[in-house]
């Protein structure tokens, strides 16, 4: 250890701390609070956190000399217990930091308390909770004190040593909560010879009561130590280590209060990694001397031997430091009396009769990595390293140890973790010098794991080197064993899998061109294809599989996401020849393919010979495109049609031609193939029925019938019947069929003539006997046509009779119309003298001067023009016009007003001069125009009664108050009069 960097330092805290109350006999500390006991019965309390200090005299009322035997302070520094020993016996006191007077514990009178175990988990400033007191007669008592009660809550007897009665010298206690909410207690106690451990669930009383029926667990070591001490090292309020100052040495270990394993006697064994540090190791060759006091830190023991403290590393069991104290001449004779620990503050204290010394800890774990490293406990050393340089030293030690023992693979792993102490080149040369290529490869791979992403160039270089080492190893295995490449779980196969996994992991950092050249130079075609696949070089992969005849694997590659569609089109001709079924199935699963770009591949497949019963895969794919994907590409339809045309059976071709693939689509054709191309192809392949269908589809009905007559007359008849909207064309087509039938039957024979006559019936009367007579020979006998001619004549007679009946009906209708016209001319209506107008409620027969003559109407004497309806309602002309324009829609109202305006203008033009005489040339024309306008006006306003017709029905939807009547409605509103209106009213009055 470096002496200049001491971990523990000693400082004088206070000289003459007893303050004239005798000499210091004992001391305790907790949470920056120290309590001293003196030989005259005083306790002196120093609170360094608050800067407070006071003295309490516990000898009041007692005779003779009184000395403080032991003093105890809880970890929080609030509770204090002190035992006074004098001529009158022993008494134990309790005092609180807030009290000025102590409380005597009368139930403990006469008992010398040597030890107190505080409940660190539950204790608070106001309550001690349950604590355990150990006495010099081997008894344990439980006590609890609440500060607010000013006295103890209870004091209970718990346990007594009966087998070997000894004084309890020290006590420690821990508690844990278990799954059901109960508390488990762990208690350790020491006597001059033994270390006892107690544990149980429930209360303390229950725990110790259980030992009446079972043996107490203890550890006994040879020798006896009157200064026996037990200490726990506390970290985050939990004890993790213990140390017992026994007669044989320092017995220490770890504490695990959650351990589930049990000892043989049934007690839970919460002590782990136990060890004994003999006193002989502390004497350095001289006679062993027992320490008089002990303190424990995280990694060290502080042992008081004489007037100095030896600091022993708990891990290495070596003395690392010696602490010396500045003693006064008065204290030199007795020297340092003891050590005290403050677990909360992480401080230690030493005291003599007059002075107090503080022992501070300065980062005691800083060099622990070296301690563990020297002991070759590498995992612990790494856990205690604080920087990369320290870790490098640990890794280097591990690597060199493994390298020297020829464990090269393990050493490679450790060398790869070194960042500073050795360079990359030095490490690689170590493995090259011993010809360990495999270990070198391992080193490179581990080095890659430890590099950061920013070291791109180094990663690429190391990855490329590792690739070459892999390839070299593979080739060496092939040379060593010719059967290494067989499909077995050999080293070769394992290495191949490892290499491929490496390529997969390193595909983003390896240089593509360099790696592919390496793979090619070593002849590793499979790995080259594998790496090409990883790098997205799918063209190389597919080409390799096609060369190997593995169409399925090639198609699997092409189906991967991210593979360009151009590769599908490029390799389609080779794949469809290699495996047509799998290729077409793959095409059918890919909806992104453009079938038009696959036409070269499909043409190549179609040009190859196929077995008679073999499924034509191209036709299957084209049918899928046309029927399921609704492909409208004319090229696809033309190709499918051409393949159908080359088949022996033309049923598929005819179904394809008859199917309207574009049916139901707006503004689109019903078929997508080229009919002219289809016709040429079918004529070339002699598919006559298909040609007939195409002629018919192109509305070339005469060509369709002419061609169908060569194939099947029945087909010709069906084609002739397809024409429906052109009677002349239909008749012409049937005549073509008739001529063909007569000529085929050699129409001179009687039987043939009968067949021709029967053919006429199939035309449904379209053809007559006279239409087909020219097709018969001139020497045919008339007798053979007698029935047909008579039938034709009878049909003509029936038509003549029908025409006569229609003429009679027309004549009767004309007479009826003339009679109705005559009756209308004599129709009239009677107007009573007092008849009122339905709108203005004035008399209908008022004088025109009173009402106002309407222009454009013929005057009826001195009366105003009016209308009378069959329902007996009567209206003045002006009133009817006003009512209709008001109630009808806007367009109709504007039309009525326009007609009225035109009548008014024409009426004014017919008058010349002041007497209104007419000219000789214009009256007839003007009056004719006026009559036409008046008829239109009559039709607009008087076609039906406004009160009885549709106009009245429409008025139901009109509001009672029209918009133009709003002002009239507002005039009837009653408003509260204002002051101004009242004043104006009075003025006017």
């Amino acid at each position: 250890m470096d002496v200049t960097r001491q971990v523990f330092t000693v400082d004088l805290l206070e000289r003459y701390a007893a303050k004239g109350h005798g000499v210091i006999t004992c001391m305790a500390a907790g949470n920056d609070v120290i309590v001293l006991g003196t030989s005259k019965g005083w306790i002196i309390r120093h609170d360094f956190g608050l800067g407070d200090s006071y003295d309490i005299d516990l000898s009041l009322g007692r005779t003779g000399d009184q000395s403080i035997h032991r003093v105890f302070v809880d970890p929080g520094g609030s509770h204090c217990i002190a035992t006074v020993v004098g001529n009158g016996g022993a008494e134990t006191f309790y005092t609180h930091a807030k009290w000025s007077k102590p409380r005597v514990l009368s139930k403990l009178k006469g008992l010398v308390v040597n030890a107190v175990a505080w409940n660190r988990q539950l204790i608070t400033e106001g309550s001690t909770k349950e604590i355990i007191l150990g006495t010099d007669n081997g008894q344990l008592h439980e006590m609890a004190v609440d500060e607010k009660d000013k006295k103890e809550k209870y004091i209970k007897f718990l346990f007594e040593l009966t087998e070997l009665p000894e004084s309890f010298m020290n006590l420690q206690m821990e508690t844990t909560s278990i799954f059901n909410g109960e508390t488990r207690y762990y208690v350790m106690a020491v006597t001059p010879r033994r270390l006892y451990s107690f544990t149980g669930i429930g209360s303390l009383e229950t725990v110790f009561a259980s030992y009446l029926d079972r043996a107490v667990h203890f550890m006994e070591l040879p020798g006896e130590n009157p200064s026996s001490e037990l200490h726990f090292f506390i970290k985050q309020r939990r004890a993790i280590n213990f140390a017992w100052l026994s007669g044989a040495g320092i017995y220490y270990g770890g504490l695990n209060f959650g351990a589930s394993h049990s000892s043989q006697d049934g007690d839970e064994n919460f002590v782990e990694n136990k060890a004994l540090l003999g006193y002989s190791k502390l004497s350095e060759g001289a006679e062993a001397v027992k320490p008089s006091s002990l303190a424990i830190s995280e990694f060290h023991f502080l042992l008081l031997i004489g007037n100095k403290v030896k600091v022993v590393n708990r891990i290495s069991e070596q003395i690392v430091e010696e602490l010396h104290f500045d003693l006064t001449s008065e204290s030199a004779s007795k020297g340092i009396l003891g050590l005290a620990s403050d677990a909360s503050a992480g401080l230690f204290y030493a005291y003599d009769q007059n002075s107090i010394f503080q022992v501070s800890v300065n980062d005691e774990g800083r060099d622990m990595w070296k301690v563990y490293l020297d002991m070759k406990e590498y995992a612990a050393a790494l856990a205690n390293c604080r920087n990369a340089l320290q870790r490098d030293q640990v890794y280097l030690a591990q690597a060199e140890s493994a390298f020297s023992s020829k464990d090269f693979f393990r050493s490679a792993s450790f060398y790869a973790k070194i960042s500073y102490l050795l360079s990359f080149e030095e490490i690689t040369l170590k493995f090259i010098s011993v010809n360990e290529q495999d270990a070198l490869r391992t080193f490179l791979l581990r080095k890659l794991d430890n590099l950061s992403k920013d070291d791109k160039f180094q990663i690429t270089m190391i990855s490329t080197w590792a690739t070459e080492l892999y390839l070299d190893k593979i080739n060496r295995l092939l040379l060593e064993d010719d059967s290494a490449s067989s499909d077995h779980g050999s080293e070769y196969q394992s290495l191949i899998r490892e290499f491929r996994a490496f390529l997969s992991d390193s595909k983003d950092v390896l240089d593509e061109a360099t790696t592919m050249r390496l793979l090619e130079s070593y002849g590793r075609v499979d790995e080259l294809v594998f790496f090409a696949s990883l790098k997205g070089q799918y063209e190389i992969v597919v080409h390799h599989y096609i060369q190997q005849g593995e169409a399925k694997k090639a198609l699997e590659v092409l189906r991967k996401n991210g593979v360009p569609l151009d590769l599908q089109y490029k390799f389609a001709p080779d794949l469809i020849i290699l495996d047509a079924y799998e290729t077409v199935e793959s095409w059918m699963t890919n909806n992104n393919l453009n079938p038009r770009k696959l036409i070269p591949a499909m043409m190549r497949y179609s040009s190859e010979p196929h077995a008679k019963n073999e499924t034509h895969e191209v036709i299957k794919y084209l049918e899928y495109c046309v029927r399921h994907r609704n492909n409208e590409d004319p090229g696809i339809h033309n190709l499918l049609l051409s393949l159908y045309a080359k088949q022996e059976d033309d049923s598929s071709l005819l179904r394809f031609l008859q199917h309207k693939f574009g049916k139901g689509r707006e503004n689109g054709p019903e078929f997508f193939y080229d009919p002219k191309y289809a016709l040429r192809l079918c004529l070339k392949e002699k598919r006559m029925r298909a040609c007939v269908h195409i002629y018919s589809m192109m509305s070339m009905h005469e060509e369709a019938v002419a061609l169908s007559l060569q194939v099947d007359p029945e087909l010709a008849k069906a084609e002739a019947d397809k024409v429906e909207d052109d009677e002349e064309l239909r008749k012409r087509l049937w005549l073509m069929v008739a001529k063909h039938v007569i000529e085929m039957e050699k129409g001179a024979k009687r039987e043939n003539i009968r067949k021709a006559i029967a053919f006429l019936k199939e035309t449904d009367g379209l053809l007559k006997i006279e239409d087909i007579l020219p097709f018969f020979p001139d020497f045919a006998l008339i007798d053979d046509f007698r029935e047909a001619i008579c039938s034709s004549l009878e049909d003509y007679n029936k038509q003549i009779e029908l025409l006569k009946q229609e003429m009679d009906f027309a004549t009767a209708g004309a007479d009826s119309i003339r009679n109705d016209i005559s009756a209308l001319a004599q129709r009239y209506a009677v107007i009573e003298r007092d008849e009122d107008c339905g709108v203005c409620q004035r008399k209908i027969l008022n004088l025109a001067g009173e009402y106002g003559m309407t222009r454009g109407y013929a005057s009826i004497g001195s009366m105003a023009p009016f209308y009378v309806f069959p329902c007996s309602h009567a209206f003045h002309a002006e009133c009817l016009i006003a009512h209709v324009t008001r109630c009808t829609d806007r367009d109709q109202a504007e039309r009525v007003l326009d007609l009225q305006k035109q009548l008014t203008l024409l009426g004014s033009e017919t008058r010349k001069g002041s007497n209104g005489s007419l000219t000789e040339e214009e009256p007839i024309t003007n009056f004719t125009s006026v009559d036409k306008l008046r008829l239109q006006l009559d039709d607009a306003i008087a076609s039906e009664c406004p009160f009885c017709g549709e106009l009245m029905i429409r008025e139901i939807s009109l509001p009672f108050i029209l918009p133009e009547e709003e002002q009239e409605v507002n005039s009837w509103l009653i408003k509260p009069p204002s002051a101004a209106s009242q004043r104006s009213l009075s003025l006017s009055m």
Side-chain angles (χ1 to χ4, degrees), residues 412-567:
S413 299
F414 293 125
Y415 275 128
K417 297 178 181 180
I418 297 175
S419 302
Y420 303 103
L421 292 182
L422 285 180
S423 66
F424 176 81
E425 293 79 5
E426 289 176 313
I427 298 172
T428 54
L429 287 173
K430 275 179 173 289
F431 292 107
I432 293 173
S433 63
V434 293
N435 196 25
E436 281 295 330
Q437 301 293 326
D438 295 340
L440 176 60
R441 186 180 72 249
T442 301
F443 166 72
L444 296 178
L445 295 177
R446 298 296 177 269
K447 192 67 177 179
L448 286 174
D449 295 336
N450 297 325
L451 290 174
S452 66
K453 294 181 179 180
D454 296 332
D455 301 326
K456 295 181 180 179
F457 296 108
Q458 194 171 1
I459 291 173
T460 300
M461 180 193 69
I462 295 175
S463 300
T464 305
W465 192 359
T467 301
E468 188 169 8
L469 291 175
Y470 268 117
L471 293 171
D472 181 68
K473 177 66 174 178
I474 292 170
N475 278 2
R476 281 191 282 113
L477 287 177
L478 287 174
L479 292 174
E480 292 171 3
D481 186 3
D482 294 338
S483 62
S485 59
S486 59
D487 296 331
H488 301 291
S490 62
E491 182 184 0
Y492 173 82
Q493 294 296 332
S494 177
L495 186 63
I496 290 295
R497 288 193 294 271
E498 182 183 340
F499 180 44
R500 291 196 175 191
F502 169 75
L503 291 176
S504 298
D505 296 338
S506 306
K507 65 179 184 298
D508 296 328
V509 297
L510 285 169
D511 181 70
E512 182 178 333
T514 304
T515 306
M516 295 185 79
R517 281 198 302 269
L518 271 175
L519 293 169
E520 186 177 359
S521 65
Y522 277 86
R524 302 306 303 174
V525 178
D526 291 340
E527 283 68 38
L528 176 63
V529 171
F530 178 77
F531 184 71
S533 178
L534 293 175
K535 297 298 289 184
Q537 296 291 340
Y538 300 109
E539 185 172 354
I540 297 174
V541 180
V542 175
H543 181 70
H544 169 75
Y545 286 135
I546 290 176
Q547 284 186 333
Q548 298 296 320
E550 297 178 346
K552 287 186 178 180
K553 291 186 178 180
L555 291 169
E556 288 177 2
V557 174
L558 292 174
R559 279 196 293 266
K560 289 181 178 179
N561 293 330
V563 177
L565 288 177
D566 291 341
L567 293 183

Side-chain angles (χ1 to χ4, degrees), residues 66 91 206 231 235 239 247 333 398 425 462 592 622 706 730 745 777 866 872 916 943 949:
Q66 307 293 326
E91 275 193 310
T206 304
H231 294 279
K235 190 173 184 179
S333 59
Q398 288 179 282
E425 293 79 5
I462 295 175
N592 296 323
L622 293 174
R730 188 165 179 262
E745 297 295 340
F866 61 88
S872 76
S943 60

Side-chain angles (χ1 to χ4, degrees), residues 58 70 152 200 218 244 303 370 437 443 536 600 622 645 657 692 753 879 930 984:
L58 301 182
R70 289 285 179 87
E152 68 276 14
F218 64 89
W244 171 33
L303 304 176
K370 286 185 179 180
Q437 301 293 326
F443 166 72
L622 293 174
L657 292 173
V692 170
I753 292 174
C879 294
V930 169
S984 62

Side-chain angles (χ1 to χ4, degrees), residues 221-506:
L221 296 177
E224 181 179 0
N225 188 357
S227 302
S228 177
E229 293 182 14
L230 174 67
H231 294 279
F232 281 1
F233 172 69
I234 311 299
K235 190 173 184 179
Q236 297 178 353
R237 299 188 64 184
R238 177 65 69 188
I240 59 174
N241 293 309
F242 80 95
W244 171 33
L245 188 64
S246 68
I250 300 172
Y251 182 71
Y252 64 96
L255 298 172
N256 184 1
F257 298 109
S260 58
H261 51 273
S262 300
S263 59
Q264 294 180 356
D265 57 8
D267 287 337
E268 186 170 348
N269 186 7
F270 52 88
V271 178
E272 298 178 339
N273 304 321
K274 295 168 284 188
L276 179 65
L277 174 61
Y279 295 131
S280 59
K281 292 185 178 181
L282 309 177
S283 60
E284 298 178 354
E287 183 180 353
V289 179
K290 295 181 181 179
S292 58
S293 187
L294 166 71
I296 181 173
S297 67
E298 184 174 7
F299 297 108
H300 297 88
F301 299 127
L302 279 72
L303 304 176
L304 178 60
I305 301 176
N307 289 333
K308 58 186 177 181
V309 171
K310 290 188 177 183
V311 180
V312 180
N313 189 287
R314 179 170 55 86
I315 307 302
S316 64
E317 297 185 348
Q318 298 295 320
I319 299 174
V320 294
E321 290 182 11
E322 283 191 4
L323 307 180
H324 299 273
F325 302 91
D326 182 15
L327 302 178
T328 62
S329 57
E330 305 92 56
S331 303
S333 59
K334 290 193 175 182
I336 301 297
L337 300 178
L339 300 175
S341 303
D342 185 349
S344 302
L347 296 173
F348 301 95
Y349 300 94
Y351 61 94
D352 60 14
Q353 290 183 343
N354 296 311
S355 306
I356 304 172
F357 301 92
Q358 178 177 299
V359 180
S360 302
V361 185
N362 303 311
D363 192 12
E364 64 172 321
R366 67 191 179 194
D367 293 325
M368 286 307 298
W369 68 274
K370 286 185 179 180
V371 175
Y372 285 114
L373 181 59
D374 293 340
M375 299 174 65
K376 297 186 178 181
E377 294 185 13
Y378 300 115
L382 286 173
N384 286 273
C385 288
R386 301 190 178 181
N387 53 55
L389 193 59
Q390 292 176 1
R391 284 190 289 273
D392 273 6
Q393 293 187 52
V394 177
Y395 291 139
L396 179 59
Q398 288 179 282
E400 290 180 346
S401 174
F403 195 90
S404 61
S405 61
K406 296 187 178 181
D407 188 355
F408 298 110
F409 288 99
R410 188 163 172 267
S411 68
S413 299
F414 293 125
Y415 275 128
K417 297 178 181 180
I418 297 175
S419 302
Y420 303 103
L421 292 182
L422 285 180
S423 66
F424 176 81
E425 293 79 5
E426 289 176 313
I427 298 172
T428 54
L429 287 173
K430 275 179 173 289
F431 292 107
I432 293 173
S433 63
V434 293
N435 196 25
E436 281 295 330
Q437 301 293 326
D438 295 340
L440 176 60
R441 186 180 72 249
T442 301
F443 166 72
L444 296 178
L445 295 177
R446 298 296 177 269
K447 192 67 177 179
L448 286 174
D449 295 336
N450 297 325
L451 290 174
S452 66
K453 294 181 179 180
D454 296 332
D455 301 326
K456 295 181 180 179
F457 296 108
Q458 194 171 1
I459 291 173
T460 300
M461 180 193 69
I462 295 175
S463 300
T464 305
W465 192 359
T467 301
E468 188 169 8
L469 291 175
Y470 268 117
L471 293 171
D472 181 68
K473 177 66 174 178
I474 292 170
N475 278 2
R476 281 191 282 113
L477 287 177
L478 287 174
L479 292 174
E480 292 171 3
D481 186 3
D482 294 338
S483 62
S485 59
S486 59
D487 296 331
H488 301 291
S490 62
E491 182 184 0
Y492 173 82
Q493 294 296 332
S494 177
L495 186 63
I496 290 295
R497 288 193 294 271
E498 182 183 340
F499 180 44
R500 291 196 175 191
F502 169 75
L503 291 176
S504 298
D505 296 338
S506 306

Side-chain angles (χ1 to χ4, degrees), residues 543-773:
H543 181 70
H544 169 75
Y545 286 135
I546 290 176
Q547 284 186 333
Q548 298 296 320
E550 297 178 346
K552 287 186 178 180
K553 291 186 178 180
L555 291 169
E556 288 177 2
V557 174
L558 292 174
R559 279 196 293 266
K560 289 181 178 179
N561 293 330
V563 177
L565 288 177
D566 291 341
L567 293 183
Q568 291 268 18
Y569 306 134
K570 179 176 182 178
F571 292 106
D574 295 328
L575 287 170
I576 199 168
I577 294 299
L578 194 61
D579 192 337
Y581 174 79
E582 292 293 340
T583 302
V584 169
E585 289 294 322
S586 176
W587 290 352
M588 291 169 65
T589 58
N590 191 343
N591 294 329
N592 296 323
L593 286 176
N594 183 358
R596 186 180 187 87
K597 294 185 178 182
L598 296 172
I599 289 178
M602 291 187 282
M603 293 292 291
R604 180 179 178 183
Y605 172 81
S606 302
S607 63
E608 297 290 330
H610 302 284
K612 185 175 182 180
N613 297 327
E614 181 184 354
T615 302
H616 200 291
E617 297 297 335
V618 169
I619 292 179
K620 182 176 75 174
Y621 177 67
L622 293 174
E623 287 176 345
Y624 171 78
C625 293
V626 170
R627 299 182 188 278
H628 298 283
R629 290 176 57 185
N630 301 320
N631 187 281
E632 300 178 0
D633 191 339
I636 297 299
H637 286 256
N638 289 338
L639 178 58
L640 181 57
L641 187 145
S642 68
L643 295 177
Y644 280 144
K646 293 177 181 178
Q647 291 182 329
E648 294 182 2
D649 185 6
D650 63 351
S651 57
S652 299
L653 174 61
L654 290 174
R655 283 196 302 271
F656 177 76
L657 292 173
Q658 292 167 4
H659 194 285
K660 297 179 179 180
F661 294 99
K663 188 176 181 180
R665 304 183 189 182
E666 296 183 2
N667 303 323
E670 293 186 348
F671 53 88
F672 301 102
Y673 56 86
D674 184 358
K676 295 180 181 179
Y677 168 76
L679 182 60
R680 289 195 304 271
L681 184 65
C682 292
L683 289 172
K684 178 182 176 182
E685 299 293 336
K686 301 189 183 306
R687 304 299 179 190
M688 296 308 174
R689 288 182 179 272
C691 293
V692 170
H693 177 80
I694 297 171
Y695 276 131
S696 176
M697 184 183 61
M698 297 172 67
S699 299
M700 300 172 67
H701 299 288
E702 295 184 28
E703 290 82 354
V705 171
L707 185 59
S708 60
L709 289 174
Q710 301 176 18
V711 179
D712 185 2
E714 295 298 325
L715 180 60
K717 295 175 184 179
E719 288 298 324
D721 260 344
K722 289 182 180 179
V723 179
E724 296 179 355
D725 54 350
D726 191 343
E727 193 73 17
E728 182 179 353
L729 176 60
R730 188 165 179 262
K731 185 174 182 179
R732 191 162 61 248
L733 296 177
W734 274 106
L735 285 174
M736 292 174 63
V737 177
K739 182 178 179 181
H740 177 79
V741 170
I742 293 171
E743 289 177 353
M744 290 294 294
E745 297 295 340
K746 310 299 183 190
K749 295 182 180 179
R750 183 180 297 272
E751 185 64 29
N752 296 340
I753 292 174
R754 289 178 180 175
K755 289 183 180 181
I757 299 303
F759 173 77
L760 289 177
K761 296 179 181 179
E762 295 182 19
T763 64
D764 294 331
L766 182 63
L767 296 182
K768 304 296 182 181
I769 186 64
E770 60 269 24
D771 295 325
I772 65 172
L773 282 175

Side-chain angles (χ1 to χ4, degrees), residues 106-324:
S106 57
K107 289 187 178 182
L108 298 176
K109 184 175 179 62
L111 298 176
V112 178
V113 177
N114 286 338
V116 174
W118 305 96
N119 190 340
R120 277 182 289 269
Q121 309 303 318
L122 301 178
I123 194 169
T124 63
E125 182 181 357
S127 174
T128 63
K129 300 301 180 182
E130 58 270 23
I131 60 176
I132 303 174
L133 307 177
T135 65
D136 63 348
N137 61 351
Q139 292 183 355
L140 296 177
H141 297 265
E142 178 186 357
M143 183 184 79
V145 181
D146 282 347
E147 183 269 334
K148 63 181 179 180
D149 295 336
K150 304 299 181 183
K151 63 178 182 177
E152 68 276 14
K153 293 178 67 175
Y154 60 82
I155 297 178
K156 301 177 183 178
F157 171 79
L158 292 177
F159 181 78
E160 183 175 9
L161 293 174
T162 57
E163 179 189 356
L164 180 64
E166 287 185 295
S167 298
F168 281 113
M169 304 303 295
N170 228 323
L171 288 172
Q172 296 289 344
M173 175 172 60
E174 281 288 331
T175 60
T176 58
S177 296
I178 55 179
F179 61 92
N180 56 3
E182 292 187 296
T183 302
R184 178 181 285 276
Y185 290 89
Y186 304 89
V187 180
M188 294 182 74
V190 294
T191 65
R193 296 182 182 180
R194 291 181 177 179
L195 168 64
Y196 292 90
S197 62
F198 307 89
T199 181
I201 299 173
S203 64
L204 282 172
E205 192 173 12
T206 304
V207 171
F208 282 96
S210 66
Y211 285 96
L212 296 175
D213 302 325
R214 58 175 174 153
V216 180
H217 183 74
F218 64 89
M219 166 65 70
E220 183 174 359
L221 296 177
E224 181 179 0
N225 188 357
S227 302
S228 177
E229 293 182 14
L230 174 67
H231 294 279
F232 281 1
F233 172 69
I234 311 299
K235 190 173 184 179
Q236 297 178 353
R237 299 188 64 184
R238 177 65 69 188
I240 59 174
N241 293 309
F242 80 95
W244 171 33
L245 188 64
S246 68
I250 300 172
Y251 182 71
Y252 64 96
L255 298 172
N256 184 1
F257 298 109
S260 58
H261 51 273
S262 300
S263 59
Q264 294 180 356
D265 57 8
D267 287 337
E268 186 170 348
N269 186 7
F270 52 88
V271 178
E272 298 178 339
N273 304 321
K274 295 168 284 188
L276 179 65
L277 174 61
Y279 295 131
S280 59
K281 292 185 178 181
L282 309 177
S283 60
E284 298 178 354
E287 183 180 353
V289 179
K290 295 181 181 179
S292 58
S293 187
L294 166 71
I296 181 173
S297 67
E298 184 174 7
F299 297 108
H300 297 88
F301 299 127
L302 279 72
L303 304 176
L304 178 60
I305 301 176
N307 289 333
K308 58 186 177 181
V309 171
K310 290 188 177 183
V311 180
V312 180
N313 189 287
R314 179 170 55 86
I315 307 302
S316 64
E317 297 185 348
Q318 298 295 320
I319 299 174
V320 294
E321 290 182 11
E322 283 191 4
L323 307 180
H324 299 273

